[in-house]
Amino acid sequence: MSLFKNIFGSTNKERNSSTINWRELTDLGQLNDIVDASFEQPVLIFKHSTRCGVSRSVLRQFENEFDATLKITPYFLDLLEHRDISNEIASRFGVVHQSPQLIVIKEGNAIYNVSHDSIDAHDLKTLG
């Protein structure tokens, strides 16, 4: 079991060791906070499936490349725990559900939406 968890799972401990100061997205009400905050600075949402090896690999690569000096607020969504939030994100921001997926919200709108191997932390520098 541990081998499969190491390959496919993601734990809070692993995210806590990340250089990204993730905010866990666990409640639908947080989407209103995200919209409000996006008028001050962009907000990113990283949607991750903890059972998917591809998603885990993309997440690790993103975390390794992320520039912590960027003025962007990062949220992490565990899709297996919160599919309802993912569905609401798709509806509210007009994006098709993907996993893994990176969405950037600015001034209440999704201005950037990529998934799978198109996720590149370096692209965030151009969104200012």
Side-chain angles (χ1 to χ4, degrees), residues 34-35 38 41-43 45 93 103-111:
I34 286 171
V35 168
S38 75
Q41 71 179 32
V43 176
I45 300 171
F93 299 110
I103 303 165
V104 176
I105 310 299
K106 185 175 181 180
E107 296 179 0
N109 297 299
I111 63 162

Side-chain angles (χ1 to χ4, degrees), residues 63-76:
E63 289 179 325
N64 287 335
E65 295 175 350
F66 183 79
D67 180 352
T69 66
L70 289 176
K71 302 289 187 212
I72 194 163
T73 305
Y75 278 83
F76 181 91

